[in-house]
Amino acid sequence: EKLRQNQEKDIVALPEYRARSNLLNFLRSKAGYAVDPSLAIPNVAPPSPPPSGYKHTLSESQILLALDAAMATFHLHVESRIASLCGQGFYTIGPCGEEVNIIIDLPFW
């Protein structure tokens, strides 16, 4: 914990840390909680479905599984970057979209 406190300025400057803060702020705002105005995200509207509908869709349980996997992967990525910054890890690569790979595969299960 002391390492994190000593590196706080550098940690909050990490793009991944900022992205996680933005995501948390967005989720809190949609759930009706107070949010940090400096992290405000403009209104987000879902895309319109294609005229012929979707060929492959996810069930509710698949959506929840995908969201859970994506959030866990993203959080681990951010914490790995922080550990590396504090000299407690060797994480040197950025995310490559692996957070959402499950969404691509699930409709075909």
Side-chain angles (χ1 to χ4, degrees), residues 41-57:
I41 297 174
N43 288 334
V44 177
S48 299
S52 61
Y54 293 107
K55 184 175 181 181
H56 301 285
T57 60

Side-chain angles (χ1 to χ4, degrees), residues 1 7 13 15 20 25 43-44 47-48 66 81-82 99-100 105:
E1 188 62 31
Q7 299 289 334
R20 183 172 65 182
N25 201 56
N43 288 334
V44 177
S48 299
R81 293 281 292 168
I82 292 170
E99 299 90 1
V100 296
D105 188 45

Side-chain angles (χ1 to χ4, degrees), residues 5 7 10 33 42 46 49 68 82 96:
Q5 290 172 349
Q7 299 289 334
D10 293 327
Y33 293 102
D68 193 38
I82 292 170
C96 300

